[in-house]
Amino acid sequence: MLIKRLNQQNRQNFKLDSGVGHESDKMQILLIHSDYIEYETKKSTPVAEKIGDELKKGRMEEALTVFIAVEKTDEENIEHCAKQTVHEIKKVTEQVKTNRIMLYPYAHLSSSLSSPKAAVEALKKIEELLREASFEVKRAPFGWYKSFTIKCKGHPLSELSRTIREGGEKCGTPVKVEKEEVVSEALKSEAKATSYWHILTPDGELLNPDGFNFTGHEKLKKFVNYEIHKSRAVDKIPPHVELMRRLELADYEPGSDPGNMRFYPKGRLMKSLLENYVLEEAAKKGAMEVETPLMYDMNHPTLKKYLDRFPARQYSIEADKKMLFLRFAACFGQFLMNHDMTISYRNLPLKMVELTRYSFRKEQSGELVGLRRLRAFTMPDMHTLCRDTEAAKSQFFEQYNMCINVLSKIGLDLSDYEVAIRFTRDFYEENKDFIVGLVKTVNKPVLIELWDQRFFYFVLKFEFNFVDAMDKASALSTVQIDVENADRYGIKYIDSDGKENRPLILHCSPSGAIERCIYALLEKANMNSEKGIVPMFPVWLSPTQVRIIPVAEKHIDYAEKVASEMDCRVDIDDREETVGKKIRDAGKEWIPYVAVVGDEEVNGDDLTVTVRAESLPNKPANIKMKVSELNERISCEVLGFPFKRNPLAMKLSARPRFV
RNA sequence: GCCUCGGUGGCUUAGAGGUAUAGCGCAUCCUUGGUAAGGAUGAGGUCGAGGGUUCAAUUCCCUCCCGGGGCUCCA
């Protein structure tokens, strides 16, 4: 049986590896997962089946539409063909998760049609079998000219609509295609290659996730659940959404497109620090920082090929007569730059890094959540050109460790995220020890996804996935070994023998999206808070590191003197409020050090400092220390991290409120 | 994108076919206060936008925008 599915470029024929394909089974079907399908009979043909008025019009919501052409050779064994067809339909319904089916006789799928009698018999058989399998089935009548409207799930894809329209015009059937994508990329991929899920332990045991004992690895269990079973989440608003606003970090911007946020001074500061930190870590590994355009020509031959490989998820804009798209990663600019460079094997591994502010992905609006998933986000994107597989592996391992280090400095350690490693079977067979080495490094079981064929551009990738309070997983760091794009972009280096070679390319985001790091920090702090741990940011990231609270107005001068002796982000709460109120407000801002100054401090040498990291809920830890001791303590905590000055007025009375 | 729930001063919110409640915040004043909310007074609202039904709509109906959750997706 040949199954025809549409992809975005054209209709492609390919066999499923399900073992049910026989050359003799020629029934042609075309499957479209549709928001709705609607038809209306126009005129009967000489071969029309007799129908009542109720079948002259039909509509089905949220259905898998199955266009069918029964072919000459099917007549020999209609029963068998019908069964095989039903089998295939079932498989697809499982993938797209629907139990509603519209059967639609569609002659134009074949040039060798069966007799009308056989066709009707086959259709009825299929309908009956599907009903027995408790599907909700409708069938459009055979032998009528019909008009139909179908709305496919997904994105507008022009090539497809042409294909369908041509088919429709040929037989005089008006077809209105509103929007289409047909069978999603993932589905297409699944048809080509199958994912096998495993758990790999530090001892190198490859286990079945279903039988794995997750005791002590509850988060991994949640992650596996999320990845394989796509578990349902509970009804709860994500805590970070409230926190990002309450802490005046970031907010929605209704005046823009969804998923494009505004960042207030404190949020901008945190982003800026994180950005600089990650860039600096990349630079330490020898990466050269570059800057490339945000928008690219959609019709550039190389880019076009790349875009065609993926579902349309980009913003596009028209400028003059050009169609441009906004980048969704730094790959485009860097690869185009690599293409024009003269690179010797002596220059390898060659690293370039760019902080994309922004990367744009037009994610489906229903999928956007706070800082977790955005349409415009900031991502450090580093690419490493490697001479051969050995060099790529060695770089991969080095960058794997860099990612662990970067996340831990940001405030997310190994217990906060789960590791997924994904690779092709071939790569695994040749590099088992290498893979196990990755698992040993983190010393905990990891999720493995193994493909029997490569269908993305990479042969190996890992991600670190943060698992939040709603059991949702989000990828942070990732490294991938790309075996395809050097060729696509014509990137080459001159080897020691003087010949041109294609490098392997590593894609690495040491931290993942910066906004997502903030999301993870906020979610982690919230989970801590529920566990009875006082929530806070790492000191180097805290918008205010020290707050000075003068007891009365007469102590403000002294507070200013102390502030001038501090070399960190310090502010003064000079508002006319009670000390209690000011302490409470400082706590609400998660300020790591709060120093109250009154007569005692003015007349003595010490400050009275509330140290957040040592406090318990409702039990502030108050420690007496000299200004120099506080300075010393903070400078140890921020050593090696970027620093930016206070983003707001030093005196709180001079600050506006943003939220 | 689809399904579903929601949108009331800057924020959180009560309420109802007759234009509206409270707290926080803000302003002014009193209090000059020592570790998680001191007190008083006041300003501030086209009740998300547009259309419809009605004598009358913020309330009922439709469309749209924005947000939450689910589905789908995540190069």
Side-chain angles (χ1 to χ4, degrees):
Chain A
M1 172 163 318
L2 263 172
I3 303 273
K4 286 193 175 181
R5 299 185 192 204
L6 297 183
N7 76 357
Q8 62 199 84
Q9 294 139 45
N10 49 33
R11 293 209 306 245
Q12 282 190 335
N13 293 352
F14 55 86
K15 281 195 167 257
L16 289 180
D17 56 355
S18 57
V20 295
H22 302 294
E23 284 305 319
S24 60
D25 307 333
K26 284 292 184 193
M27 199 173 292
Q28 301 278 3
I29 67 176
L30 169 67
L31 303 156
I32 297 185
H33 190 200
S34 41
D35 289 327
Y36 68 84
I37 162 84
E38 191 174 55
Y39 72 84
E40 187 176 351
T41 54
K42 293 290 182 193
K43 195 179 154 207
S44 63
T45 67
V47 299
E49 60 174 323
K50 293 209 171 74
I51 53 164
D53 282 351
E54 75 282 358
L55 282 178
K56 290 196 171 161
K57 271 187 181 178
R59 181 182 166 99
M60 203 174 209
E61 307 286 337
E62 195 64 34
L64 183 70
T65 301
V66 184
F67 293 99
I68 301 185
V70 184
E71 303 201 296
K72 202 106 220 152
T73 47
D74 297 335
E75 290 184 21
E76 291 160 26
N77 193 345
I78 288 176
E79 181 91 17
H80 176 73
C81 288
K83 275 187 184 154
Q84 293 302 339
T85 305
V86 167
H87 180 81
E88 288 306 325
I89 294 172
K90 274 187 186 167
K91 271 175 61 175
V92 176
T93 56
E94 280 160 23
Q95 287 170 317
V96 302
K97 297 188 177 65
T98 181
N99 73 332
R100 310 160 72 109
I101 296 166
M102 170 69 84
L103 291 172
Y104 198 107
Y106 199 64
H108 338 292
L109 291 171
S110 170
S111 52
S112 166
L113 290 167
S114 70
S115 69
K117 186 168 165 283
V120 174
E121 189 185 337
L123 286 165
K124 287 189 170 163
K125 188 73 202 168
I126 292 168
E127 186 181 4
E128 181 193 325
L129 288 169
L130 287 169
R131 283 240 165 76
E132 280 169 16
S134 41
F135 284 99
E136 192 181 324
V137 191
K138 283 192 180 174
R139 184 166 67 80
F142 180 87
W144 293 74
Y145 285 115
K146 301 179 286 285
S147 71
F148 71 88
T149 303
I150 184 165
K151 186 167 183 191
C152 306
K153 290 195 170 290
H155 330 286
L157 298 163
S158 53
E159 299 262 3
L160 170 68
S161 72
R162 228 174 285 137
T163 307
I164 287 192
R165 206 167 287 131
E166 278 164 17
E169 280 160 10
K170 234 183 272 170
C171 61
T173 342
V175 177
K176 188 173 81 187
V177 177
E178 288 187 347
K179 206 165 217 197
E180 0 170 302
E181 170 195 49
V182 181
V183 182
S184 70
E185 180 70 14
L187 185 53
K188 192 182 86 193
S189 305
E190 274 176 51
K192 280 197 221 162
T194 314
S195 283
Y196 299 91
W197 300 96
H198 301 283
I199 301 291
L200 185 57
T201 67
D203 301 330
E205 283 184 289
L206 200 58
L207 304 167
N208 184 333
D210 291 333
F212 186 75
N213 178 8
F214 284 101
T215 313
H217 307 290
E218 281 69 23
K219 276 198 179 169
L220 178 63
K221 183 178 182 175
K222 288 175 179 176
F223 175 52
V224 167
N225 234 7
Y226 183 78
E227 280 287 311
I228 305 179
H229 307 299
K230 308 287 179 193
S231 78
R232 275 169 196 284
V234 255
D235 272 15
K236 237 190 332 183
I237 32 158
H240 84 275
V241 173
E242 199 204 323
L243 287 171
M244 75 185 187
R245 306 186 66 234
R246 216 200 70 209
L247 296 171
E248 294 194 320
L249 301 178
D251 214 335
Y252 294 112
E253 177 48 79
S256 180
D257 198 43
N260 288 254
M261 312 296 276
R262 57 162 76 144
F263 285 84
Y264 300 118
K266 291 179 197 171
R268 178 60 222 143
L269 171 86
M270 282 184 73
K271 273 191 75 182
S272 183
L273 290 167
L274 286 164
E275 290 164 10
N276 291 343
Y277 172 66
V278 177
L279 280 177
E280 186 59 26
E281 290 303 300
K284 280 186 200 162
K285 298 285 178 194
M288 305 173 277
E289 188 179 348
V290 295
E291 185 172 320
T292 61
L294 267 72
M295 54 185 84
Y296 293 89
D297 186 346
M298 223 164 229
N299 291 311
H300 184 285
T302 307
L303 302 178
K304 194 173 192 310
K305 269 192 278 174
Y306 188 54
L307 284 179
D308 281 348
R309 243 201 107 149
F310 300 105
R313 273 293 159 77
Q314 58 274 347
Y315 277 105
S316 49
I317 49 174
E318 204 182 332
D320 297 330
K321 281 179 185 151
K322 248 185 198 174
M323 282 307 289
L324 302 164
F325 68 92
L326 299 182
R327 67 176 178 194
F328 40 81
C331 306
F332 307 98
Q334 289 188 25
F335 291 169
L336 291 169
M337 195 184 280
N338 287 147
H339 168 81
D340 293 335
M341 289 167 69
T342 304
I343 302 166
S344 152
Y345 73 97
R346 296 175 201 276
N347 309 140
L348 302 181
L350 184 147
K351 289 181 193 157
M352 297 203 307
V353 68
E354 176 168 6
L355 192 100
T356 63
R357 195 163 100 214
Y358 289 107
S359 285
F360 296 93
R361 295 187 193 177
K362 221 170 91 195
E363 306 290 8
Q364 299 184 83
S365 58
E367 187 47 47
L368 305 167
V369 192
L371 293 174
R372 185 165 98 97
R373 194 105 186 266
L374 299 167
R375 279 184 169 175
F377 57 94
T378 309
M379 193 168 67
D381 201 357
M382 178 170 86
H383 295 95
T384 310
L385 307 189
C386 298
R387 190 175 184 181
D388 51 31
T389 306
E390 279 315 302
K393 277 161 61 186
S394 134
Q395 278 299 313
F396 188 95
F397 191 67
E398 191 178 302
Q399 292 176 21
Y400 182 77
N401 284 296
M402 171 175 73
C403 291
I404 294 172
N405 179 256
V406 164
L407 286 187
S408 98
K409 294 292 173 56
I410 286 174
L412 301 165
D413 40 54
L414 275 170
S415 59
D416 294 319
Y417 53 84
E418 296 305 325
V419 182
I421 308 178
R422 306 173 202 251
F423 39 74
T424 58
R425 187 176 297 282
D426 289 350
F427 187 89
Y428 179 61
E429 296 300 339
E430 286 158 30
N431 300 285
K432 277 188 185 171
D433 290 347
F434 178 73
I435 304 278
V436 173
L438 297 174
V439 183
K440 280 195 161 74
T441 304
V442 294
N443 196 29
K444 63 177 188 176
V446 312
L447 176 67
I448 297 296
E449 183 176 9
L450 192 151
W451 297 293
D452 46 13
Q453 289 174 62
R454 177 173 74 81
F455 55 87
F456 291 128
Y457 56 75
F458 50 82
V459 291
L460 168 68
K461 81 179 281 200
F462 81 82
E463 309 127 34
F464 294 149
N465 290 273
F466 181 80
V467 181
D468 69 16
M470 294 173 70
D471 300 347
K472 294 250 187 192
S474 309
L476 293 166
S477 319
T478 182
V479 179
Q480 305 157 3
I481 300 183
D482 176 349
V483 296
E484 199 175 279
N485 279 306
D487 198 42
R488 193 195 309 285
Y489 282 81
I491 299 167
K492 57 193 182 293
Y493 69 90
I494 314 298
D495 214 336
S496 49
D497 57 7
K499 293 204 177 103
E500 289 186 351
N501 277 334
R502 295 282 181 230
L504 294 166
I505 304 176
L506 265 59
H507 299 239
C508 167
S509 187
S511 62
I514 301 294
E515 294 84 354
R516 193 171 270 186
C517 290
I518 298 177
Y519 143 82
L521 286 173
L522 290 171
E523 290 286 332
K524 179 184 176 179
N526 187 258
M527 287 189 267
N528 275 344
S529 159
E530 285 179 1
K531 279 189 277 186
I533 301 168
V534 177
M536 63 184 290
F537 294 123
V539 174
W540 72 278
L541 278 172
S542 296
T544 295
Q545 293 167 321
V546 177
R547 169 152 304 164
I548 301 173
I549 298 181
V551 172
E553 206 178 330
K554 63 180 175 189
H555 304 118
I556 290 179
D557 284 349
Y558 185 72
E560 284 181 57
K561 177 176 170 289
V562 173
S564 71
E565 289 164 7
M566 306 286 320
D567 36 20
C568 62
R569 283 185 295 275
V570 56
D571 58 28
I572 300 170
D573 192 345
D574 62 332
R575 296 173 306 162
E576 292 194 21
E577 297 288 351
T578 58
V579 173
K581 178 70 177 293
K582 293 181 190 178
I583 293 284
R584 179 180 154 81
D585 287 347
K588 277 161 74 177
E589 285 186 54
W590 301 359
I591 294 171
Y593 298 100
V594 181
V596 175
V597 297
D599 291 341
E600 243 176 69
E601 287 72 21
V602 173
N603 300 322
D605 271 348
D606 286 333
L607 290 174
T608 312
V609 183
T610 303
V611 180
R612 190 167 180 84
E614 293 171 22
S615 300
L616 296 170
N618 296 315
K619 269 178 97 179
N622 296 325
I623 298 174
K624 293 235 183 258
M625 60 177 90
K626 295 190 181 1
V627 174
S628 58
E629 287 170 327
L630 181 55
N631 263 333
E632 179 64 20
R633 189 173 168 136
I634 293 172
S635 61
C636 286
E637 287 172 321
V638 303
L639 188 68
F641 289 106
F643 175 77
K644 287 195 85 165
R645 58 189 300 114
N646 203 327
L648 291 159
M650 184 181 274
K651 288 184 176 173
L652 263 63
S653 66
R655 289 184 187 178
R657 290 182 69 87
F658 288 87
V659 180

